Amino acid sequence: MTHDEALKQLSHIARERAFGRHVGSDRLIQAGVDALIAGVESPSLAMLAGLLRSEEPEAPELFDHVLEELGLAFHPPAEPRAAKWAMAYWIAGQIADGSLDPATGTHLIWADVAYDLGYPEELEPLVHCAINLDGWEESWGVSRERLSQEAVEAANQFLSNRPEHCPQDGHHFKGSAPKR
């Protein structure tokens, strides 16, 4: 793992946690080990990487210290709707760049975002992809790979329609549905 890949992994885990996803202490510690081996430097990183199994409860707090020290801390918008939109853009970005399986990503958008936002029109193509991928059967005459590609295309389309006031991290998004 390179230095940049280690920072990207730390940043990714920070967003997972910020959006309410559970990340186990073992994964936080392993990310610390990976970063340390990759040459990332932070006062708290060695302490995080060196935690013993009995010290795992200390990992979340130390991980947060590492993020602060590296300038990687992420705080989603405080307004709940804006936070959901930021999460949708984050997940769509992972689908688009290939770092998240399209079936998993579209399902997360369907279950964790679209429902809470009242199924807005902007998310409909991604929800449609999630439903197709979730219920896919070989008898449909279309490959699962094709449905996955359609999900990647839908994610890219969603990202291309992002309002200018809604940057990658969602910090400035006001919470209403994005306008086309």
Side-chain angles (χ1 to χ4, degrees):
M1 178 174 290
T2 68
H3 183 274
D4 289 347
E5 290 169 339
L7 292 176
K8 185 175 180 179
Q9 177 179 301
L10 292 170
S11 181
H12 176 83
I13 293 171
R15 279 166 173 68
E16 277 187 89
R17 294 177 73 227
F19 287 126
R21 312 292 301 169
H22 173 73
V23 179
S25 291
D26 58 333
R27 191 163 159 225
L28 300 177
I29 295 167
Q30 185 60 53
V33 170
D34 293 344
L36 197 60
I37 291 170
V40 175
E41 294 182 18
S42 146
S44 301
L45 186 58
M47 293 188 312
L48 172 65
L51 287 178
L52 303 172
R53 190 172 233 12
S54 63
E55 299 170 316
E56 282 186 359
E58 298 172 36
E61 184 178 344
L62 274 173
F63 186 81
D64 290 339
H65 287 302
V66 169
L67 294 176
E68 291 291 336
E69 292 163 3
L70 295 172
L72 297 175
F74 173 78
H75 304 284
E79 199 277 317
R81 288 186 61 81
K84 287 294 180 179
W85 280 108
M87 184 176 181
Y89 285 111
W90 177 65
I91 293 170
Q94 292 177 81
I95 295 168
D97 73 13
S99 63
L100 182 61
D101 172 67
T104 302
T106 57
H107 183 82
L108 287 171
I109 288 174
W110 178 24
D112 293 352
V113 179
Y115 174 81
D116 291 340
L117 293 174
Y119 295 101
E121 179 183 333
E122 294 81 2
L123 294 177
E124 192 268 317
L126 290 162
V127 170
H128 180 77
C129 290
I131 292 167
N132 283 342
L133 285 163
D134 190 49
W136 179 80
E137 294 180 18
E138 202 169 322
S139 64
W140 287 6
V142 62
S143 70
R144 185 166 178 79
E145 291 75 25
R146 179 64 199 139
L147 293 177
S148 292
Q149 183 56 40
E150 288 175 9
V152 171
E153 291 166 9
N156 279 313
Q157 184 64 38
F158 175 67
L159 293 169
S160 72
N161 290 329
R162 177 192 323 240
E164 288 182 28
H165 65 284
C166 183
Q168 181 70 26
D169 60 12
H171 279 293
H172 304 294
F173 197 25
K174 298 298 180 201
S176 59
K179 303 293 181 220
R180 288 193 173 149

